[in-house]
Amino acid sequence: DPFKQHMDRELEEKEVEKMSTLPKISSQSKWPRLGQLTFSSTLEKHISLKAEKEVDVRQLYLHKPLESTWPKVNKQFLSSVNKPSNPSFTPLQRELFCIMNTYRDLFYPERNALTNGEEIRLAYCLHALNHVLKANAQVLSNNGRRRDQKPGTDSDDYRDQGLTRPKVLMIVPFRECALRIVHIFISLLEVNDKRRIDVSNKKRFKGEFGSDPEEKPPNLKRPEDYEAVFAGNIDDHFRIGLAILQKSMRLYAPFYSSDIIIASPLGMRTIIGAEGEKKRDFDFLSSIEILIIDQADIYLMQNWEHVLHLMKHINLLPLDPHGVDFSRVRMLNLNNWSKYYRQTLLFSGLQDPQINSVFNKHCFNYVGQVAIRNVPLSGSISQVVVQLPHVFRRLEAEDVTSVIDTRFQYFIDKVLPEYRDAIMSHTLIYIPSYFDYVRLRNYFKKEGLNFTHICEYTKKAGVCRARRFFLKGEKQFLLFTERFHFYKRYTIKGIRNLIFYELPTYSHFYSEICNMMKATDNGVDATWTCTVLYSKYDAQKLAAVVGIDRTAQMLQSKKNVHLFVTGEN
């Protein structure tokens, strides 16, 4: 059983020392559905994990009742394409679950709310629930054995728990996601209509996490991916504890009596608190065995600091004992080694240096890690339907930290002077970072430029005013933040010149913004322009926009690159 194998393995001092000092050894592999995989580990020299062609549910060591409920719950994703030999997993789920079930860390950067988001959610819910049911069954069986034991005999055989009870932490962006997860758990625990499980506080949960379909504003046309991400209750400040009992489930369990905690990064941040605050608590994170971070890319749009803050407070020794029976605590927890046993599952819609960094610097799993690393063959530039010359201007920066200042200098010295002329009116400047936006806004004010600006904090009236001024040409420049586009997706009319101050985080925003130009005029204007600033540190974002082959050429040559997209190629 993979659970027993993983939790019962006792690490030695020298192995722990090895993990904290030696670099990881990596190897590559290609799987049919996932594509290019990178395995890395300090302790295992040769990692051989093959993609199973077929998986028999009985061989997965699923705890009862999951073996019988899983095929029913997952039926909605199984098409007739699936061979009857493997009736319960989609090809993607099968390969992801094979990796999850070995307790390795996993980074999957191709999650998509429209296509595979829900089947991934089901797969990790199965894994998390399987883990909790096994852990709780082990505790119950040891309780029984201890009761039957002769008094006076003290045994070390019953070490089966952490220093605090929560075992699984699931980080999701919105209340709707938590609602879906809880529904999946309930359906995985209910064997049939006769054997329903008792769920306490269900009504309160529905009221706080559900949504009123009438609240949705009518007739607003948004892209499909926007509708999929922002479905249901999109409040991003919540946390809830779940206790999984033998025939029931308790919602809103106090954290120290919970097995699973579902929370948003902000919900975690407000309970963890900051140094010096009187009321703060993070002891309940001390013995987390599985950490699941879903839709990681959305936290880049919310506040990435909250994720980093959480990673710094997970698997630390608790400050209080919280009534734990130390004779039952596993040695790995007493040795403060729980971070080496924690499995982290990270799902994202894109590759990003900040997300990679969490996976590389905050995950210490002794079994090692698996990252899916496929390169985009064609970029989102191929989705641009407007005829437009794209000029990619390369800036040279000494190192990652100096890029921000170099980009600003390059922009005001080289790019902006070309646009100051009144001919270059209707110029939209797309700015991914809020800090860059503030810096440019202050500079434009100081220089007395004729501009208007929209960011995620702009009030509705301000947005309408700015859009109107820009469309009519009363304001020459519009400073426009990526987060505003992410949360609102308004079409900005009147763009004739586009400047991407930095490449967008989401590659499809590139084509979306370029295609706004067709909402401007009836004909195509020969004077339309699009300028993009990039440096060698933007390789991942660049590849997502122009494709991997062009990226390689662009990073080798020091010159600016001119691409003309006609909408067909």
Side-chain angles (χ1 to χ4, degrees), residues 67-86:
E67 213 169 273
S68 58
T69 56
W70 168 254
K72 278 185 271 186
V73 174
N74 198 39
K75 207 160 73 187
Q76 51 178 326
F77 295 108
L78 302 171
S79 62
S80 49
V81 181
N82 277 42
K83 293 187 231 36
S85 60
N86 180 28

Side-chain angles (χ1 to χ4, degrees), residues 33-45:
R33 178 64 184 77
L34 290 176
Q36 205 57 48
L37 269 62
T38 302
F39 293 93
S40 51
S41 167
T42 317
L43 299 183
E44 286 186 62
K45 292 286 180 287

Side-chain angles (χ1 to χ4, degrees), residues 277-485:
E277 285 179 17
K278 273 201 179 119
K279 211 175 164 208
R280 56 184 310 214
D281 185 10
F282 45 87
D283 283 358
F284 60 88
L285 296 171
S286 70
S287 305
I288 294 291
E289 291 154 11
I290 298 179
L291 167 66
I292 298 169
I293 301 179
D294 196 9
Q295 292 171 276
D297 49 285
I298 293 181
Y299 313 135
L300 294 171
M301 298 290 129
Q302 288 178 344
N303 190 336
W304 190 251
E305 285 301 314
H306 297 339
V307 177
L308 298 177
H309 194 69
L310 166 68
M311 298 311 280
K312 286 181 193 131
H313 290 87
I314 197 167
N315 296 128
L316 302 176
L317 281 174
L319 305 170
D320 295 317
H322 299 282
V324 67
D325 173 358
F326 284 101
S327 69
R328 298 288 294 272
V329 176
R330 291 192 185 96
M331 290 314 291
L332 70 97
N333 298 96
L334 296 174
N335 289 336
N336 197 15
W337 287 350
S338 45
K339 68 175 181 181
Y340 299 112
Y341 287 79
R342 184 189 81 233
Q343 179 187 31
T344 306
L345 306 175
L346 188 53
F347 301 97
S348 158
L350 46 91
Q351 302 255 12
D352 183 273
Q354 298 181 82
I355 300 175
N356 289 341
S357 156
V358 159
F359 193 66
N360 296 332
K361 292 184 182 161
H362 293 278
C363 300
F364 312 95
N365 192 336
Y366 77 84
V367 211
Q369 300 177 306
V370 185
I372 284 82
R373 300 257 184 243
N374 294 315
V375 289
L377 296 172
S378 72
S380 65
I381 198 167
S382 57
Q383 265 94 54
V384 176
V385 295
V386 199
Q387 293 194 359
L388 193 60
H390 301 254
V391 181
F392 288 81
R393 302 180 66 158
R394 176 168 173 159
L395 44 108
E396 297 301 330
E398 295 298 309
D399 50 44
V400 181
T401 44
S402 66
V403 170
I404 298 165
D405 292 332
T406 312
R407 179 180 285 114
F408 179 71
Q409 264 333 110
Y410 183 87
F411 178 78
I412 60 175
D413 295 345
K414 302 262 173 45
V415 182
L416 195 55
E418 300 170 14
Y419 287 84
R420 283 188 161 199
D421 198 324
I423 303 171
M424 303 300 276
S425 65
H426 295 276
T427 299
L428 180 133
I429 304 172
Y430 178 94
I431 312 162
S433 152
Y434 182 72
F435 299 107
D436 287 337
Y437 162 78
V438 172
R439 190 176 187 179
L440 283 177
R441 189 187 64 194
N442 294 347
Y443 177 80
F444 274 45
K445 274 182 186 164
K446 195 179 91 208
E447 292 289 304
L449 291 170
N450 179 21
F451 80 106
T452 181
H453 48 90
I454 298 178
C455 73
E456 57 273 30
Y457 302 113
T458 312
K459 299 271 190 303
K460 208 168 178 182
V463 174
C464 293
R465 221 174 19 251
R467 288 171 78 185
R468 193 175 63 249
F469 285 154
F470 183 67
L471 174 60
K472 291 185 171 166
E474 289 171 30
K475 300 284 186 193
Q476 186 180 348
F477 295 99
L478 169 61
L479 302 182
F480 184 81
T481 65
E482 179 168 75
R483 277 188 185 158
F484 176 80
H485 184 63

